Amino acid sequence: MPDYRLDEEHEQLRATVAEFARDAVAPVIAGYYEREEFPYEIVRGMGEMGLFGLPFPEEYEGMGGDYFALCLALEELARVDSSVAITLEAGVSLGAMPLYRFGTEEQRLRWLPDLCAGRRLAAFGLTESDGGSDAQATRTRARLEGGEWVVNGSKVFITNSGTDITSLVTVTAVTARSEAGNEISAIVVPSGTPGFTVAGHYSKVGWNASNTCELAFADCRVPESNLLGERGRGYAQFLRILDEGRIAIAALGVGLAQGCVDESLRYARERTAFGRNIGAYQAIQFKIADMEARAHTARLVYYDAAARMARGEPFKKQASIAKLVSSNAAMDNAREATQIFGGYGFMNETPVGRFYRDAKILEIGEGTSEVQRMLISRELGLR
């Protein structure tokens, strides 16, 4: 039987991140959220703790841990705020991980130390305005000319792409066309490269303290050596990165779902109505019981996916199940927590107000719920 109890090292990490979230994030994050301001001081603190280097080897200034450690950190951060959690998730699983998985040793040594230490951030440029969930519909082009890739196109909704500490974006681009289909490759574009423009950050419904921008490439030239991995394998590489990232997003969703339980329990014990704490009413008790059941179930699902990944077993189906279950739990719990808080739940000053706004994107980002159902069906042999 699987044993999902945390070992001493993982439990110590979880407790340390929980303390950081409680003491360093919770007291100030509402202000960042309302100002739609990126929390550089918090990110610096996470870097000093080594959170950005959790799953990477020490030779790249990583912590020598595993992907499950990253998931535990994401869950604890998201119990307090999802903007901070997604900054870490995107910086590690989408920004640095492609370089580690597919980069040359020269590329790793050039970029990973700063990324692992949290001194810099990297972004993952996949989504386009006309493509959305259909990543194969990439229109961004890159051609070789005089030993350089010349990139033209645009990307949308790219997390961590426009901060003052962003060092690079890895983009997918069509590098050849044929009747058999487009050849898609991944190319590293450093920040500040001529022809690479970062638009102002989006005004979003949620995740308001995270950075999300639109990118444009106009005859943007980078060295031929900035090809990441094998030419023509960019799409396959990014699918692998997304499979891993879905486990991380699932952990984030579980954190939000559990945060809703935490806040609802506190409020139910403090708030009185008709002469009693509202937690004494069965209607509230049942809501919170269902919320706890959803969070607990979603946690076990992402634990299972992470364990399979750690053992080197196939985990595509389990990653999609984890993301689907956790995003559902986050949305349902955020709705119920808002209802428990009543009018206060509709105020941005309360954590559940922010949770409610942050939850919806979990059913969209890194593969919509519909895409997850499609992937699960395919893994079951339905095509």
Side-chain angles (χ1 to χ4, degrees):
M1 294 290 291
D3 185 353
Y4 292 120
R5 290 174 295 181
L6 300 183
D7 60 29
E8 183 177 351
E9 185 175 354
H10 283 125
E11 174 54 31
Q12 183 177 7
L13 170 68
R14 187 207 63 76
T16 300
V17 177
E19 181 180 10
F20 174 81
R22 182 178 63 251
D23 295 345
V25 179
V28 299
I29 195 59
Y32 285 106
Y33 197 96
E34 291 171 8
R35 296 189 300 269
E36 298 188 4
E37 179 183 338
F38 188 76
Y40 288 101
E41 287 299 318
I42 294 174
V43 171
R44 185 175 297 111
M46 291 194 294
E48 292 172 354
M49 292 173 64
L51 300 188
F52 287 94
L54 279 173
F56 301 110
E58 294 178 6
E59 63 195 276
Y60 306 118
E61 292 196 32
M63 298 295 288
D66 54 24
Y67 206 84
F68 183 55
L70 170 66
C71 291
L72 291 175
L74 290 170
E75 180 182 344
E76 291 303 324
L77 289 171
R79 286 178 78 158
V80 171
D81 179 71
S82 291
S83 293
V84 171
I86 193 58
T87 298
L88 176 62
E89 191 277 336
V92 176
S93 67
L94 300 182
M97 193 59 73
L99 287 163
Y100 176 64
R101 294 285 187 219
F102 310 113
T104 63
E105 188 62 11
E106 181 181 356
Q107 290 171 334
R108 292 174 179 171
L109 291 172
R110 177 181 176 185
W111 283 305
L112 279 180
D114 279 343
L115 299 179
C116 290
R119 293 186 292 266
R120 307 287 284 180
L121 294 173
F124 175 90
L126 176 65
T127 305
E128 298 189 2
S129 58
D130 293 332
S133 296
D134 184 7
Q136 283 185 303
T138 296
R139 292 190 176 185
T140 297
R141 300 283 187 264
R143 69 180 189 277
L144 271 178
E145 186 178 282
E148 294 180 314
W149 291 106
V150 183
V151 184
N152 286 278
S154 62
K155 301 291 180 178
V156 296
F157 313 142
I158 308 304
T159 304
N160 291 347
S161 59
T163 75
D164 293 342
I165 58 173
T166 299
S167 61
L168 63 95
V169 178
T170 302
V171 300
T172 51
V174 176
T175 49
R177 305 178 71 174
S178 69
E179 293 183 0
N182 290 335
E183 174 190 88
I184 298 177
S185 304
I187 298 172
V188 176
V189 181
S191 299
T193 301
F196 173 25
T197 303
V198 181
H201 72 272
Y202 292 97
S203 176
K204 305 189 294 286
V205 171
W207 286 359
N208 285 353
S210 77
N211 174 265
T212 314
C213 297
E214 182 176 356
L215 312 179
F217 306 90
D219 289 334
C220 176
R221 292 176 173 268
V222 299
E224 183 176 356
S225 60
N226 280 28
L227 177 72
L228 184 66
E230 183 181 345
R231 177 170 175 167
R233 293 288 297 169
Y235 182 68
Q237 291 169 190
F238 274 57
L239 288 182
R240 165 66 192 240
I241 292 299
L242 285 173
D243 284 341
E244 296 179 1
R246 283 165 184 150
I247 302 176
I249 286 290
L252 192 157
V254 169
L256 191 155
Q258 192 65 57
C260 289
V261 177
D262 298 340
E263 291 299 318
S264 296
L265 281 171
R266 179 188 60 78
Y267 190 71
R269 291 171 178 142
E270 296 175 354
R271 173 69 168 170
T272 60
F274 306 104
R276 305 170 69 188
N277 289 336
I278 63 172
Y281 295 105
Q282 197 173 68
I284 301 298
Q285 293 172 357
F286 283 9
K287 280 184 184 295
I288 296 176
D290 286 342
M291 291 164 64
E292 175 70 8
R294 291 188 199 103
H296 180 70
T297 301
R299 181 178 297 107
L300 293 178
V301 175
Y302 99 69
Y303 275 24
D304 175 65
R308 290 172 185 268
M309 176 182 166
R311 293 194 298 265
E313 299 173 2
F315 64 92
K316 178 185 287 289
K317 180 179 70 174
Q318 287 74 20
S320 287
I321 291 173
K323 184 178 185 299
L324 180 63
V325 171
S326 68
S327 59
N328 285 343
M331 273 297 295
D332 290 343
N333 280 14
R335 183 181 62 252
E336 294 289 26
T338 302
Q339 192 69 20
I340 290 170
F341 270 67
Y344 290 106
F346 203 61
M347 302 295 113
N348 284 329
E349 66 191 57
T350 64
V352 297
R354 299 195 301 274
F355 292 165
Y356 188 78
R357 295 174 63 178
D358 290 340
K360 182 56 191 175
I361 189 60
L362 297 174
E363 296 184 315
I364 299 172
E366 294 196 36
T368 65
S369 294
E370 289 77 14
V371 165
Q372 305 316 311
R373 293 183 175 97
M374 179 183 70
L375 293 173
I376 295 166
S377 298
R378 286 180 178 176
E379 290 296 305
L380 293 173
L382 301 173
R383 297 179 181 271

